[in-house]
Amino acid sequence: MRNAVSDEEMQRATGEHRPDKAAWSGVEMLLAAIKDEITLSRNAAIAIAGGKPGDFNPTPRPGIPPTSATRKGLTDEQRRALDPRLRDQTQEA
């Protein structure tokens, strides 16, 4: 299959390759989870000893936006559509 690709296409694909955007393997995801758990355990030990642990920042994983991304809430109309108890209420309530 690789031999069916022309040299020009192969060169273009090599130039556009972004290893930082590639998917992680299971081992890399496990390693990131272990790193996060060790950091949380260390923070807990610091807090138990009476200190003030730093903020916990989880290891960024591919495809998962950072927590700084704004989260959109539901509109009142969407809440009414989901909850049957709200459907009979007026707009002002």
Side-chain angles (χ1 to χ4, degrees):
M1 185 169 185
R2 182 177 285 261
N3 293 337
V5 178
S6 68
D7 291 335
E8 294 83 22
E9 288 178 303
M10 199 64 143
Q11 186 63 28
R12 187 177 54 233
T14 304
E16 296 172 357
H17 179 64
R18 293 282 311 267
D20 57 330
K21 298 210 178 235
W24 282 13
S25 69
V27 173
E28 291 168 324
M29 293 294 279
L30 180 63
L31 185 60
I34 291 170
K35 178 184 174 276
D36 289 346
E37 289 298 321
I38 289 172
T39 303
L40 287 171
S41 296
R42 184 193 57 170
N43 288 352
I46 292 170
I48 290 169
K52 184 171 185 327
D55 291 336
F56 172 69
N57 295 321
T59 304
R61 291 160 172 85
I64 301 173
T67 56
S68 63
T70 58
R71 184 173 175 258
K72 294 182 181 178
L74 294 175
T75 64
D76 290 337
E77 292 81 23
Q78 292 171 328
R79 284 190 194 92
R80 274 191 208 88
L82 290 174
D83 193 349
R85 297 171 295 179
L86 298 174
R87 290 182 189 154
D88 296 332
Q89 290 184 350
T90 61
Q91 294 276 344
E92 296 83 32

